[in-house]
Amino acid sequence: MIGPRYTPLVASLPETVPFVGPETQERLRGRPFRARIGANESVFGPSPRAVAAMRAEANEVWKYGDAQNHELRQALAAHHGVAAENIIVGEGIDGLLGYLTRLVVAPGDAVVTSDGAYPTFNYHVAGFGGVLHKVPYRDDREDLEALIARARDVAPKLIYLANPDNPMGTAHPAASVAAMVTEVPEGSLLILDEAYIEFAPDGLAPRIDPADPRVIRMRTFSKGYGMAGARVGYAIGAPDLIGAFDKIRNHFGMSRISQAGALAALEDQAHLAQVRAQVAAARDRLAAIAAENGLAALPSATNFVAIDCGADGDFARRVLAELVARDIFVRMPFVAPQDRCIRVSCAPETEMAAFAETLPQALAAARAG
Amino acid sequence: MIGPRYTPLVASLPETVPFVGPETQERLRGRPFRARIGANESVFGPSPRAVAAMRAEANEVWKYGDAQNHELRQALAAHHGVAAENIIVGEGIDGLLGYLTRLVVAPGDAVVTSDGAYPTFNYHVAGFGGVLHKVPYRDDREDLEALIARARDVAPKLIYLANPDNPMGTAHPAASVAAMVTEVPEGSLLILDEAYIEFAPDGLAPRIDPADPRVIRMRTFSKGYGMAGARVGYAIGAPDLIGAFDKIRNHFGMSRISQAGALAALEDQAHLAQVRAQVAAARDRLAAIAAENGLAALPSATNFVAIDCGADGDFARRVLAELVARDIFVRMPFVAPQDRCIRVSCAPETEMAAFAETLPQALAAARAG
């Protein structure tokens, strides 16, 4: 008996799993983490109104969710001052990035991103046979000019930009991003991943005509709204593009409980404002912890802080390993020279204190190692 | 400004949305349904323990779900007497059918199914450029011999069989399905969709070696477990095939709340047994309602009943329209001669009584129309 015949593309894909979650690490280690500050989850939690809405909706879970995500799209449209036809809701930004890549990327098609930017996007591009063209960061920021220059060279189907950036936490001002949109080559589509925008200073999100076919912006309830486990992302774009998702998406893919939670979370902007303030204070706390250890924290427009460990990637990887060995879950950038940093998520004081206590030990062990 | 350049395959796909959910119908009608008995949801609801688990987990929704679905896969493995390596959990059977199609179907590849079988599977096959070869039902059942014969002709990547069948509710005995597995041509993979298996008589699910590379079986928490809105499906298959999903799936695609709910639902087999009994009684009730109206109900191994309206598809479509106009949400088969039937989901007496009251009016209106 022979097995199924995979497509040539699938047969060529690596079998390694690039995404090792904290639960998997806990199972491998045989004990739980003391501080879960590695996945940029919002340890401050979601709106109590969102939790209440999800609890109430649990009774209705025998029904499929609304395939149109109608109520949530209407609310998002009102929130953003666009039409519902400009909004697609999906299973997190990860799910939407997969759909979008499938819509435009055929084997051999070019895609432009930054070297060290969001690996899940790269995973989807590779999964549909796209060819990634990567430009380096400049001064720990994604390099808008280099992205556009490379796009002019390779005529990509997609250009990826996260603003604010993950994993560095840096950001470009709205005017720079708006200017970049005008430079997108014809036939290319800019993905503006704004997963962390709720943590950024007011005004960082550029004004973009929702009918502009050159850009699609991605938002999520996983970060500012504190609902990573609910899997609700959305994209804002031109109606033709938004409508194209209906050709391929899993129409009944959304959890009904998550739909209800996202709607309630959106309506509780007061909670979001409170989380923003807590995150800002935690960023300052992380910068102070870094300074106490003779390290520099990069300025951040997100709910995490990249801390420059002061040497190369090997050293930062040792620091990270020593933190993990001491039950502190953090992550770090993949690519030099950004991999001189570790990436620490903002959290309440319990987690911040655990990190403050552990970092000196981890640094000492890394230096001795 | 030109828009994004879609792949040739995507450009060729229809823009029409094939899946019009009950909420969409309610918005178009301007009023809610009185009885929601059209989508084979379990109106009897999920286990109270599953609801309690989901409510409790709402507090933890700030965390991503476990990308490995470890606890649920362990529990499912124990339940089925297989290894965790035989099980993949995904965003409903719909999501898993999409992933599986992507794994094996390249443009032009053949796929075999029955004419009138699950349209979402056809949607995924078309979405990846596969060529569908359909064989007719025989005596309102999927025709195992015809499926295999066609497979011998066209060497398909996939063969689809739902047992019990949707939309007819009919079923083949375990021995027939087991015998069919031995006839799967080399290089083809049989999808055995057992979404409705919990409602079938004991022993209808064949014993299949989980290492057998010729078959993958699909199960769901949407039907018997009453959690359609949670989006939890799983597949049982050979470890190589199960592992291949990791090359392309949305690793963090599962709702954390849904994971917790499915685990609790699986542990409450007493609730499932109670639902099975309620469904069996409701099937009898639907058959009695049909008989009272001079119509025949097909025997069903599912939580729905196909009622033969006694004439052709045009007449059944009129009956369905008259039911919908009277606020009864039901659906019907797409293809002749099965489209002489309407398909009615089992439900508690409130919904059954509403259907019993409305059907004579709908039949009279359809006959007058």
Side-chain angles (χ1 to χ4, degrees), chain B residues 117-208:
Chain B
Y118 195 42
T120 301
F121 175 64
N122 299 355
Y123 167 80
H124 287 308
V125 171
F128 289 102
V131 177
L132 283 158
H133 298 265
K134 299 176 181 174
V135 302
Y137 280 58
R138 186 170 61 185
D139 299 333
D140 295 320
R141 298 199 303 175
E142 295 196 54
D143 186 339
L144 308 190
E145 292 76 15
L147 287 164
I148 289 294
R150 186 65 63 90
R152 292 216 176 91
D153 283 349
V154 301
K157 292 289 189 78
L158 295 171
I159 307 166
Y160 178 87
L161 171 71
N163 195 55
D165 174 63
N166 175 22
M168 301 312 288
T170 49
H172 289 279
S176 302
V177 176
M180 181 186 182
V181 170
T182 68
E183 301 294 321
V184 171
E186 291 223 338
S188 294
L189 177 69
L190 174 67
I191 304 172
L192 178 58
D193 183 342
E194 297 182 321
Y196 294 95
I197 195 73
E198 288 88 2
F199 304 114
D202 285 338
L204 196 83
R207 173 105 183 74
I208 296 176

Side-chain angles (χ1 to χ4, degrees), chain A residues 183-239:
Chain A
E183 301 294 321
V184 171
E186 290 222 339
S188 294
L189 177 68
L190 175 66
I191 304 171
L192 178 57
D193 182 342
E194 296 181 320
Y196 294 95
I197 196 73
E198 288 88 1
F199 304 115
D202 285 338
L204 196 84
R207 174 107 183 72
I208 296 176
D209 179 354
D212 193 324
R214 298 171 299 187
V215 59
I216 185 168
R217 51 207 310 177
M218 300 269 182
R219 299 287 184 97
T220 183
F221 285 88
S222 297
K223 303 301 180 185
Y225 293 102
M227 292 173 56
R231 313 284 55 226
V232 187
Y234 62 102
I236 309 171

Side-chain angles (χ1 to χ4, degrees), chain B residues 16-48:
Chain B
T16 50
V17 174
F19 313 106
V20 182
E23 283 85 356
T24 303
Q25 291 188 45
E26 288 176 334
R27 285 190 293 273
L28 293 171
R29 292 152 27 91
R31 65 180 192 277
F33 285 114
R34 180 178 168 202
R36 182 168 163 136
I37 48 177
N40 302 342
E41 297 157 328
S42 184
V43 191
F44 300 103
S47 158

Side-chain angles (χ1 to χ4, degrees), chain A residues 1 5 7 10 41 55 59 61 63-64 102-103 123 155 187 223 229 231 247-249 252 256, chain B residues 5 7 10 41 55 59 61 63-64 102-103 123 127 155 187 214 223 229 231 247-249 252 256:
Chain A
M1 294 184 290
R5 293 167 290 160
T7 69
V10 166
E41 297 158 328
R55 285 185 176 158
N59 283 317
V61 80
K63 296 179 236 178
Y64 287 101
R102 183 176 160 195
L103 283 176
Y123 166 81
K223 303 301 180 185
R231 313 284 55 226
K247 290 181 168 189
I248 59 159
R249 71 185 178 97
F252 289 90
R256 185 176 190 95
Chain B
R5 293 168 289 159
T7 68
V10 166
E41 297 157 328
R55 285 186 176 156
N59 283 317
V61 80
K63 296 179 237 180
Y64 287 101
R102 183 175 159 196
L103 283 176
Y123 167 80
R214 298 171 297 187
K223 303 300 180 186
R231 313 284 57 226
K247 290 182 166 188
I248 59 158
R249 71 186 179 97
F252 289 91
R256 184 175 190 96

Side-chain angles (χ1 to χ4, degrees), chain B residues 73-91:
Chain B
R73 283 170 61 227
Q74 291 289 334
L76 287 167
H79 181 72
H80 289 291
V82 302
E85 290 66 34
N86 294 114
I87 293 179
I88 181 82
V89 170
E91 305 91 336

